[in-house]
Amino acid sequence: MPSVSESDELIFFVNGKKVIEKNPDPEENLLFYIRKVLNLTGTKYSCGTGGCGACTVMVSRYNPETRKIYHYPVTACLVPICWLHGAAVTTVEGVGSIKKRVHPVQERLAKCHGTQCGFCSPGMVMSIYTLLRNHPEPTPDQITEALGGNLCRCTGYRPIVESGKTFSPMCTKLYNEDEFQPFDPSQEPIFPPELIRMAEDPNKRKLTFQGKRTTWIIPVTLNDLLELKANYPEAPLVMGNTAVGPRIKFNDEFYPVFISPLGVPKLNVMDTTNNGVTVGAGYSLAQLKDALNFLISKQPEEKTKTYHALQKHLRTLAGPQIRNMATLGGHIASRPSFSDLNPILAAGNANINVISKEGKELQLPLNGPFLEKLPEADLKPEEVILSIFIPYTAQWQFVSGLRLAQRQENAFAIVNAGMGVEFEEGTNTIKDLKMFFGSVAPTVVSASQTCKQLVGRQWDDQMLSDACQLVLQEIHIPPDAEGGMVEYRRTLIISLLFKFYLKVQRWLNEMDPQKFPDIPEKSVSALDDFPIETPQGIQMFQCVDPKQPQKDPVGHPIMHQSGIKHATGEAIFVDDMPPIDQELCLAVVTSTRAHAKIISLDVSEALACPGVVDVITAEDVPGENNHSGEILYAQSEVICVGQIICTVAADTYIHAKEAAKRVKIAYDDIEPTIITIEQALEHNSFLSDEKKIEQGNVEYAFKHVDQIIEGEIHVEGQEHFYMETQTILAIPQTEDKEMVLHLGTQFPTHVQEFVSAALNVPRSRIACHMKRAGGAFGGKVTKPALLGAVCAVAANKTGRPIRFILARSDDMLITAGRHPLLGKYKIGFMNNGEIKAADVEYYINGGCTPDESELVIEFVVLKSENTYHIPNFRCRGRACKTNLPSNTAFRGFGFPQATVVVEAYIAAVASKCNLLPEEVREINMYKQTSKTAFKQTFNPEPLRRCWKECLEKSSFFARKKAAEEFNRNNYWKKRGLAVVPMKFSVAIPTAFYNQAAALIHIFLDGSVLLTHGGCELGQGLHTKMIQVVSRELNIPKSYVHFSETSTTTVPNALFTSGSMGADIYGKAVQNACQILMDRLRPIIRKNPKGKWEEWVKMAFEESISLSATGYFKGYQTNMDWKKEEGDPYPYYVYGAACSEVEVDCLTGAHKLLRTDIFMDAAFSINPALDIGQVEGAFIQGMGFYTIEELKYSPKGVLYSRGPEDYKIPTVTEIPEEFYVTLVHSRNPIAIYSSKGLGEAGMFLGSSVLFAIYDAVTTARKERGLSDIFPLNSPATPEVIRMACTDQFTDMIPRDDPSTFTPWSIHVS
């Protein structure tokens, strides 16, 4: 480390205010700085790796060479503060606020209903705002691209895109454009003139920022840079920190010196010559994309084939934030194995211009030896990449880039390739050939031997066949390779090669149609990847009765009551609360073994670390360490990887995390270790008894059917991926052993119970406050209780407030998610498609403790018919005990997994009967008032209506014919359609779980304070409750305020889940209002023309209580498992969805073209909120059934622990056309005849799965394969590609499973 007497001053601006840091720490990032130092909490922490966009801010810089100001989005979690010298940062607070002025971007996001939980909203605002600063009238495509780096788990993206489209001419019916304030780009804040003067200062000098452990040096000239690199050859050059930052975070790498040459002019030049373009190493990938666009527009097409290939990949590489931070030089120097650009650059014969202090400028070929990091071709430590020369392509040269990822945008490639070929002029004889592949080895690899052997060959089918064999021999992916998917990746290598072959064949034909034949018409569809289209759609809902009073808000599409606060960042989440005096941060130490004895636990080194106050273990729990089967701290034995063993309390999270790494634990493994459902069955390991329902005579029926089929379906789990990780603030009180907790939860009472048990104090002394959660989806029902107790024990021991924020990787590891499921079926049916008998078995992977697994398996069994009447029906289910973290509640609660099995056997019956699955669904669907298999009576009329309208209004049969025509004409791409019906239950089969209470205070000015036991998770529960109060008290909704949910105001409240929040709390709120109105009625009668405020004042003067508790006893549900009958659900929500997909049979990619949803909403209290729930649930379901894949090692280690390796849908995955209709019906049992729609849309996402199944079935039939095959869930690109068996899947080498241990396994 250089010896520096004192640090230079770091100067930058935040929201127009100058920031001077006299002692900046290079290890401090911008997200921490703006949240914890500047107290600007609108920018959110969600993943910490730049993968979700929640922490997006705008950075503006002045370029003295061009004399222009550049605005670009960045993810604050990856930006070291020292990187900001001379920059202006704008956070969501600087865009607008309720206190000053709400910006049009914020207003429109809220009024277009683009916020639900609101945690991602500030990041969305910043992405759109930055776009508008650069393009005041953006195109729809620019809006979609700008949002590509931002994740949202709630909305389904459509309304967010819609809000952006309002800056282009667009409209929709869920908001009124007349309410929008105009957008005037000229009124945006100016760039600080001081920063312009700093940038143009001719006497600029090298700056050094000295931190506690590291030094950050900013050179001004190239000579400065070369001198520094010679002095500190091991120091990384940090331009965007997108490579170095993650290495520090995930690999524990440490660098004493950083060199940041961001402003060195010679790294930021672009120079074109007759031979090509030289691009400075400091060009960001976004700048490179713009530069390539310019060159492509100016040069003839034959010269720019490499540029076209690069440009195409730059559209989907990472997200806009990362593309604006990452530089071309950094990307090339770091040489990631998954690089999309390096293989193309190598195939296009690019060269690297390298310079060092001692030597002259050198030119290195960007070739195989360089990319494979061979010593003789590597960069020397003191060398710096100055620029990259990318030559024009020759007339008879062709270059292409190809890739396939789990999702279309912002995902590392599963396999990618850059390929280039040059022919002898006027011939198809190969003169030169280059093939580079990424994500198949620890580095990008060159198929150089293959290419050598093919030089001189003609470009024909025999050459292709030989090329495939040769490249498979040259590039060997070991069977246990990291990343798994080995056979798929081998197939992709040659599938992408085939695509390249076809592209070149088509290009040769275009060069000389007489000499070179075109590719077959049926192969044309293999040429192009799926385009990225801006989604569009229509939302249909019932109109409010014109006779309804104007101030009655019920039935209107009203904005979420916190919508504006979400968009301005002023909605306070737990970690946004100001620090409390003497507050400590908590870090967890978790088990690295799935099943083992703890031999020793040594915390001495951790206790000696800076800032550490204490280490908390099971010994420190005053009360119960094991409550209801859930263990707070592991003591003598660990039962899963990720189980909490101890926690470290320190003055900062960084100190706590560092100390946690120094806790030493010795283990002794215990057998058996059970990871999968099959292993649990083998060892008879269960969490609960079998649940069963049965009707008819199943065995007899099987003897009297035409056909019987048997099969099994595996449905893997799902991560909640709520944007706000589990967050708890525990504050010990000075008196009476009281403890106050602030947290995001769906069940404050449960937290209270666990904390009370852990501390051994009465529940009355535990106060749990819940204002809002940044998403939950079931993941915050039980888990916050366990984590809250862990946190409270730490607060109790230290006597100090504890802030406990789970890092995303810890959250995913510890809290688990949706239960993986194995379904086995035996179905008896007639040749006309009528199902006479079904025997179904379900097993779920519950994990290591009970959690909610028994209730989930009950729901699985009870919901196992879906919409079908099968006269002889048996369903059994059990929850398996394994050595995985305990799975828990998740939106749909077992229904989304179980019903996949139902629809799978429907499809199998259809195949056997040569019918469409939709015809078999129609044949077996409930048609009149009937009894379920558990003898509950219901009327399926709304189901029939949804089904009929879905078939008709989606034009299913016409589009099915069109898809068949498309499929006849295209061999490598296939379209599929599916219509899936749904009968979804609401509430809980145990009556007391459905009770609810509310508390309403009327104040003397007429304002109303409302509280109830329900929790706001983004679903708009409080908004609906305000609508109820407004109607019942006949006052404007602006009079009603909701502050928070708390155990101190409404005790013993049950969980907000089961789609029943608005149902039960609506009734309780209504009851409280009716009590108050009964009290006020005599007053009103005396003064019927008086105002509300007058009535309130008079009531008070007559000593009438203006406070009331409302109560709803709950739906009187029941289920008798011994008799196998009951009334477990108060009503059903019906629906149907039609989805159309297109599948690329060569890669396994798919594109969702259109979805039509018809949802029985009865009467919607708030159509905007309900449609938002339906759309958001559908997209979450679509992700579950297609791209969301959890990967575990055979030893039970979860690999998928962040957005890098767990892919939820982005804006590019949603349907290109998205139509949602709320179907009107009656539901007199519920508040205002409404229905709970929070979860129902989740299963309708399976229409995408079965549309994929339909497309793959068509491909298999055309290839002469069986049309019955196990398409398990999720239907990832791997599953799709390997089901479309062809000459390429037949060509790959396959390994004997008994000879190796795979990198990952399925746990269903």
Side-chain angles (χ1 to χ4, degrees):
M1 186 183 291
S3 58
V4 180
S5 56
E6 61 180 51
S7 186
D8 286 311
E9 286 185 346
L10 172 68
I11 299 172
F12 60 101
F13 278 68
V14 176
N15 299 334
K17 294 181 180 177
K18 187 176 181 180
V19 175
I20 301 175
E21 270 294 326
K22 295 190 181 297
N23 295 292
D25 188 345
E27 294 185 275
E28 199 167 281
N29 68 47
L30 175 60
L31 179 60
F32 175 87
Y33 190 84
I34 57 180
R35 284 184 61 82
K36 302 301 182 185
V37 178
L38 301 181
N39 296 315
L40 298 171
T41 57
T43 308
K44 304 303 181 196
Y45 164 80
S46 181
C47 75
T49 59
C52 74
C55 65
T56 301
V57 298
M58 184 177 81
V59 169
S60 306
R61 289 187 187 273
Y62 176 77
N63 185 327
E65 306 295 320
T66 62
R67 301 179 71 83
K68 289 182 179 177
I69 296 161
Y70 296 89
H71 309 288
Y72 48 96
V74 302
T75 47
C77 66
L78 286 182
V79 175
I81 58 165
C82 294
W83 182 83
L84 292 166
H85 185 75
V89 177
T90 304
T91 71
V92 70
E93 291 92 345
V95 173
S97 68
I98 295 169
K99 291 175 184 173
K100 294 180 181 176
R101 170 182 171 265
V102 175
H103 191 278
V105 172
Q106 297 165 320
E107 177 197 41
R108 296 183 193 190
L109 182 68
K111 289 184 176 176
C112 291
H113 314 291
T115 83
Q116 285 188 22
C117 83
F119 204 80
C120 75
S121 303
M124 297 289 179
V125 164
M126 293 313 303
S127 288
I128 299 173
Y129 176 75
T130 307
L131 173 66
L132 293 179
R133 291 300 300 265
N134 294 313
H135 303 280
E137 293 186 349
T139 65
D141 286 347
Q142 286 175 321
I143 294 159
T144 304
E145 183 173 354
L147 293 170
N150 292 76
L151 298 180
C152 173
R153 198 52 156 164
C154 295
T155 65
Y157 298 101
R158 195 268 318 154
I160 299 172
V161 175
E162 208 62 54
S163 76
K165 282 184 185 176
T166 63
F167 296 96
S168 308
M170 280 296 293
C171 66
T172 185
K173 293 192 186 300
L174 281 173
Y175 59 80
N176 183 357
E177 283 188 313
D178 297 336
E179 295 179 4
F180 296 156
Q181 57 176 313
F183 170 57
D184 184 353
S186 68
Q187 298 304 301
E188 298 303 329
I190 64 166
F191 186 79
E194 182 179 343
L195 295 183
I196 296 177
R197 291 193 295 272
M198 281 173 57
E200 292 183 336
D201 181 2
N203 300 314
K204 272 189 295 192
R205 62 176 180 82
K206 179 180 72 178
L207 297 174
T208 303
F209 303 128
Q210 181 71 59
K212 293 172 187 171
R213 304 193 307 159
T214 60
T215 303
W216 185 282
I217 309 174
I218 302 179
V220 174
T221 66
L222 182 60
N223 286 336
D224 286 346
L225 171 60
L226 299 177
E227 178 85 32
L228 286 167
K229 198 63 176 131
N231 293 340
Y232 310 108
E234 301 305 318
L237 300 187
V238 179
M239 297 291 275
N241 203 43
T242 58
V244 174
R247 287 207 301 269
I248 293 170
K249 184 179 178 75
F250 294 118
N251 302 344
D252 282 334
E253 293 187 10
F254 175 74
Y255 302 98
V257 178
F258 298 96
I259 303 169
S260 181
L262 205 60
V264 173
K266 289 196 176 179
L267 297 181
N268 291 286
V269 296
M270 188 180 90
D271 183 35
T272 54
T273 66
N274 292 332
N275 299 322
V277 62
T278 299
V279 182
Y283 256 56
S284 73
L285 299 185
Q287 287 175 305
L288 174 65
K289 182 169 174 279
D290 291 340
L292 292 173
N293 284 340
F294 175 77
L295 288 165
I296 288 167
S297 70
K298 297 295 182 185
Q299 296 292 338
E301 192 174 339
E302 69 174 41
K303 285 186 166 187
T304 59
K305 299 184 200 83
T306 303
Y307 305 165
H308 273 285
L310 288 167
Q311 179 203 44
K312 176 169 151 286
H313 275 32
L314 282 165
R315 169 62 184 86
T316 56
L317 188 153
Q321 297 92 328
I322 300 299
R323 293 198 291 271
N324 276 285
M325 297 165 70
T327 58
L328 178 59
H331 187 81
I332 289 169
S334 59
R335 285 165 287 181
S337 64
F338 50 80
S339 168
D340 287 330
L341 302 186
N342 288 346
I344 299 171
L345 290 165
N349 300 313
N351 287 309
I352 311 165
N353 297 314
V354 172
I355 193 167
S356 66
K357 182 186 175 188
E358 302 304 326
K360 294 181 179 177
E361 194 173 321
L362 300 173
Q363 206 168 64
L364 298 178
L366 204 166
N367 57 11
F370 173 78
L371 293 176
E372 291 166 16
K373 302 183 181 179
L374 300 182
E376 65 272 15
D378 210 351
L379 292 171
K380 294 184 176 66
E382 70 276 9
E383 289 179 333
V384 171
I385 296 177
L386 183 64
S387 58
I388 295 86
F389 174 68
I390 313 172
Y392 294 134
T393 44
Q395 184 182 3
W396 288 90
Q397 181 188 5
F398 186 85
V399 176
S400 182
L402 306 103
R403 78 189 300 269
L404 193 283
Q406 194 83 345
R407 67 182 179 211
Q408 200 167 4
E409 182 174 20
N410 199 8
F412 295 139
I414 296 169
V415 171
N416 62 289
M419 303 188 196
V421 63
E422 188 173 1
F423 295 103
E424 300 289 353
E425 192 166 336
T427 74
N428 69 343
T429 303
I430 299 170
K431 180 180 177 182
D432 187 33
L433 180 63
K434 289 183 168 63
M435 291 192 284
F436 299 89
F437 293 91
S439 297
V440 296
T443 67
V444 170
V445 294
S446 166
S448 54
Q449 296 306 312
T450 299
C451 294
K452 275 182 193 172
Q453 292 185 60
L454 295 173
V455 169
R457 296 279 299 272
Q458 291 196 320
W459 197 263
D460 56 23
D461 289 355
Q462 188 56 51
M463 184 282 303
L464 170 69
S465 178
D466 293 345
C468 290
Q469 297 288 355
L470 288 167
V471 80
L472 284 172
Q473 290 167 21
E474 185 172 1
I475 299 177
H476 173 67
I477 306 176
D480 58 352
E482 185 177 341
M485 300 184 286
V486 171
E487 291 183 356
Y488 175 45
R489 287 195 280 168
R490 290 170 181 168
T491 303
L492 275 180
I493 290 172
I494 52 177
S495 296
L496 296 182
L497 174 55
F498 175 59
K499 277 182 174 270
F500 179 67
Y501 169 77
L502 291 176
K503 286 173 184 281
V504 173
Q505 193 99 317
R506 166 57 66 92
W507 169 71
L508 284 169
N509 172 257
E510 290 169 355
M511 292 290 284
D512 191 340
Q514 303 302 317
K515 194 181 287 188
F516 307 115
D518 198 1
I519 63 174
E521 190 63 31
K522 280 197 164 190
S523 294
V524 170
S525 62
L527 293 173
D528 296 320
D529 295 333
F530 294 122
I532 295 176
E533 304 286 354
T534 301
Q536 57 182 332
I538 298 172
Q539 302 79 44
M540 305 288 287
F541 55 93
Q542 86 278 356
C543 294
V544 172
D545 187 334
K547 296 174 186 173
Q548 182 171 311
Q550 198 169 358
K551 69 179 175 184
D552 180 354
V554 171
H556 289 283
I558 289 176
M559 178 179 70
H560 193 293
Q561 57 108 14
S562 293
I564 297 289
K565 287 186 284 186
H566 291 157
T568 61
E570 290 167 284
I572 300 300
F573 294 85
V574 173
D575 195 34
D576 301 336
M577 296 173 68
I580 299 166
D581 185 41
Q582 296 212 312
E583 176 184 289
L584 299 174
C585 294
L586 205 64
V588 291
V589 177
T590 57
S591 167
T592 57
R593 304 289 179 87
H595 194 194
K597 285 183 180 176
I598 298 174
I599 302 301
S600 65
L601 174 62
D602 181 1
V603 301
S604 56
E605 201 176 319
L607 284 168
C609 288
V612 171
V613 171
D614 214 335
V615 175
I616 299 91
T617 69
E619 304 293 330
D620 301 310
V621 181
E624 296 177 38
N625 187 48
N626 181 332
H627 182 66
S628 301
E630 305 299 324
I631 302 162
L632 308 190
Y633 291 94
Q635 197 158 10
S636 57
E637 180 183 338
V638 291
I639 51 177
C640 70
V641 174
Q643 186 176 8
I644 296 172
I645 295 174
C646 63
T647 55
V648 179
D651 57 350
T652 68
Y653 178 72
I654 291 170
H655 282 153
K657 191 72 179 167
E658 280 302 311
K661 294 174 188 173
R662 286 165 172 72
V663 172
K664 293 184 173 65
I665 305 165
Y667 302 95
D668 186 7
D669 287 333
I670 300 172
E671 293 298 331
T673 298
I674 299 170
I675 307 300
T676 69
I677 290 176
E678 278 95 340
Q679 289 168 352
L681 297 179
E682 186 184 325
H683 289 93
N684 204 30
S685 178
F686 298 104
L687 287 165
S688 63
D689 294 333
E690 180 180 272
K691 304 295 177 181
K692 181 173 81 77
I693 57 171
E694 186 169 354
Q695 71 176 1
N697 189 330
V698 176
E699 304 306 332
Y700 177 83
F702 275 127
K703 295 173 184 173
H704 296 85
V705 292
D706 294 335
Q707 298 186 60
I708 293 175
I709 53 168
E710 296 187 57
E712 66 177 43
I713 299 290
H714 293 262
V715 183
E716 295 302 318
Q718 184 180 22
E719 161 61 29
H720 299 94
F721 213 96
Y722 28 68
M723 296 302 291
E724 178 198 33
T725 61
Q726 301 275 355
T727 305
I728 298 143
L729 178 60
I731 309 164
Q733 304 299 291
T734 54
E735 295 183 56
D736 301 324
K737 297 185 178 179
E738 289 183 329
M739 182 74 70
V740 174
L741 294 98
H742 296 270
L743 67 171
T745 177
Q746 295 171 253
F747 198 177
T749 301
H750 199 48
V751 179
Q752 183 188 44
E753 174 193 342
F754 267 64
V755 173
S756 165
L759 300 184
N760 195 25
V761 299
R763 292 194 196 185
S764 57
R765 300 184 191 189
I766 311 298
C768 295
H769 299 271
M770 156 62 188
K771 196 167 188 71
R772 58 174 61 86
F777 318 113
K780 294 177 180 175
V781 176
T782 60
K783 299 301 181 181
L786 179 77
L787 296 167
V790 165
C791 184
V793 168
N796 180 71
K797 185 183 182 190
T798 61
R800 291 166 67 172
I802 296 281
R803 191 174 294 251
F804 187 21
I805 318 293
L806 279 188
R808 176 66 61 184
S809 58
D810 288 332
D811 192 297
M812 292 183 72
L813 177 68
I814 294 166
T815 65
R818 187 183 296 281
H819 291 74
L821 176 143
L822 168 62
K824 300 182 179 185
Y825 62 79
K826 179 181 178 183
I827 309 298
F829 57 98
M830 310 308 288
N831 290 333
N832 66 356
E834 186 179 358
I835 299 173
K836 293 291 189 182
D839 191 358
V840 187
E841 292 177 75
Y842 288 112
Y843 300 96
I844 58 172
N845 192 326
C848 59
T849 63
D851 202 274
E852 301 224 83
S853 293
E854 184 169 10
L855 193 55
V856 169
I857 201 64
E858 288 181 9
F859 272 54
V860 164
V861 172
L862 289 172
K863 300 183 182 193
S864 57
E865 333 172 290
N866 195 17
T867 58
Y868 308 112
H869 174 63
I870 301 172
N872 304 284
F873 181 83
R874 179 194 297 137
C875 180
R876 292 166 286 179
R878 286 195 86 172
C880 297
K881 183 177 183 180
T882 63
N883 295 114
L884 290 178
S886 295
N887 287 303
T888 189
F890 201 134
R891 197 179 207 163
F893 210 71
F895 184 79
Q897 303 99 295
T899 322
V900 166
V901 180
V902 179
E903 298 303 330
Y905 67 65
I906 291 284
V909 169
S911 177
K912 287 289 186 183
C913 298
N914 200 25
L915 296 168
L916 290 176
E918 287 70 24
E919 292 173 318
V920 175
R921 290 179 178 119
E922 175 83 42
I923 289 165
N924 292 285
M925 197 179 293
Y926 280 104
K927 294 178 178 63
Q928 58 198 22
T929 299
S930 309
K931 286 191 174 183
T932 64
F934 44 85
K935 300 176 180 59
Q936 182 171 30
T937 302
F938 76 103
N939 180 0
E941 189 275 331
L943 164 65
R944 304 291 305 169
R945 193 138 48 89
C946 289
W947 175 254
K948 184 170 178 285
E949 286 195 30
C950 189
L951 288 172
E952 289 176 2
K953 293 181 180 177
S954 70
S955 306
F956 169 75
F957 290 104
R959 286 166 55 211
K960 182 74 177 170
K961 283 184 181 175
E964 288 167 359
E965 179 65 21
F966 175 91
N967 292 338
R968 276 192 292 273
N969 297 325
N970 294 277
Y971 187 79
W972 296 109
K973 283 204 175 89
K974 298 296 178 188
R975 287 187 177 173
L977 284 92
V979 183
V980 172
M982 176 195 68
K983 171 171 69 76
F984 183 81
S985 61
V986 167
I988 308 295
T990 306
F992 72 82
Y993 279 138
N994 302 316
Q995 64 182 296
L999 177 64
I1000 296 179
H1001 302 314
I1002 304 173
F1003 293 92
L1004 292 180
D1005 62 354
S1007 64
V1008 174
L1009 179 63
L1010 160 69
T1011 188
H1012 54 79
C1015 298
E1016 178 58 57
L1017 318 165
Q1019 81 280 42
L1021 175 60
H1022 299 339
T1023 309
K1024 286 186 175 181
M1025 296 307 97
I1026 289 170
Q1027 289 175 271
V1028 172
V1029 173
S1030 175
R1031 167 177 278 191
E1032 295 295 329
L1033 298 184
N1034 195 23
I1035 57 175
K1037 65 182 191 304
S1038 60
Y1039 281 36
V1040 188
H1041 176 63
F1042 187 99
S1043 178
E1044 66 170 9
T1045 302
S1046 168
T1047 55
T1048 61
T1049 52
V1050 177
N1052 309 320
L1054 288 153
F1055 36 71
T1056 304
S1057 63
S1059 301
M1060 62 182 182
D1063 279 37
I1064 63 173
Y1065 291 109
K1067 288 278 195 181
V1069 168
Q1070 183 184 46
N1071 177 241
C1073 290
Q1074 288 170 347
I1075 291 168
L1076 288 165
M1077 287 305 288
D1078 284 346
R1079 294 176 189 167
L1080 289 172
R1081 204 156 278 120
I1083 302 291
I1084 296 170
R1085 274 199 294 266
K1086 289 178 188 174
N1087 182 17
K1089 293 185 178 179
K1091 292 182 179 178
W1092 169 256
E1093 292 85 351
E1094 294 169 354
W1095 297 333
V1096 169
K1097 186 169 180 290
M1098 288 173 65
F1100 181 73
E1101 289 170 354
E1102 293 191 19
S1103 302
I1104 293 173
S1105 171
L1106 295 173
S1107 177
T1109 296
Y1111 182 69
F1112 175 53
K1113 187 177 180 181
Y1115 297 124
Q1116 297 308 292
T1117 55
N1118 64 85
M1119 180 65 199
D1120 187 328
W1121 284 100
K1122 288 182 180 175
K1123 293 181 179 176
E1124 300 177 19
E1125 62 182 57
D1127 285 310
Y1129 303 114
Y1131 64 84
Y1132 294 95
V1133 174
Y1134 306 99
C1138 173
S1139 289
E1140 181 176 6
V1141 302
E1142 191 172 316
V1143 163
D1144 185 335
C1145 302
L1146 274 170
T1147 63
H1150 79 273
K1151 184 70 177 172
L1152 179 50
L1153 302 175
R1154 175 174 166 178
T1155 291
D1156 299 74
I1157 295 176
F1158 292 81
M1159 185 68 80
D1160 161 38
F1163 174 82
S1164 174
I1165 293 173
N1166 187 324
L1169 296 180
D1170 286 341
I1171 287 171
Q1173 288 299 290
V1174 171
E1175 289 181 339
F1178 174 84
I1179 297 301
Q1180 197 173 56
M1182 178 203 74
F1184 169 53
Y1185 295 119
T1186 57
I1187 60 172
E1188 296 185 36
E1189 186 174 23
L1190 289 165
K1191 297 202 169 178
Y1192 295 87
S1193 80
K1195 293 189 174 181
V1197 177
L1198 177 66
Y1199 293 131
S1200 316
R1201 294 181 60 181
E1204 304 74 36
D1205 36 36
Y1206 185 79
K1207 297 300 176 187
I1208 70 171
T1210 65
V1211 69
T1212 51
E1213 270 68 51
I1214 74 173
E1216 290 179 3
E1217 296 179 68
F1218 200 2
Y1219 304 108
V1220 177
T1221 300
L1222 298 184
V1223 178
H1224 188 59
S1225 67
R1226 286 193 52 73
N1227 186 34
I1229 193 174
I1231 180 86
Y1232 305 145
S1233 193
S1234 62
K1235 286 194 174 183
L1237 301 182
E1239 299 171 278
M1242 185 90 198
F1243 168 68
L1244 294 181
S1246 71
S1247 61
V1248 181
L1249 174 71
F1250 289 101
I1252 290 170
Y1253 187 101
D1254 183 46
V1256 172
T1257 298
T1258 303
R1260 289 176 62 87
K1261 280 182 179 175
E1262 190 172 25
R1263 290 154 174 74
L1265 302 163
S1266 166
D1267 58 357
I1268 295 182
F1269 59 98
L1271 187 70
N1272 296 317
S1273 177
T1276 60
E1278 177 185 16
V1279 168
I1280 295 169
R1281 177 63 185 99
M1282 301 315 285
C1284 295
T1285 308
D1286 55 29
Q1287 65 265 41
F1288 301 112
T1289 55
D1290 291 342
M1291 201 181 287
I1292 62 165
R1294 300 187 184 252
D1295 303 285
D1296 180 351
S1298 65
T1299 61
F1300 67 94
T1301 301
W1303 178 78
S1304 69
I1305 59 170
H1306 290 132
V1307 298
S1308 66

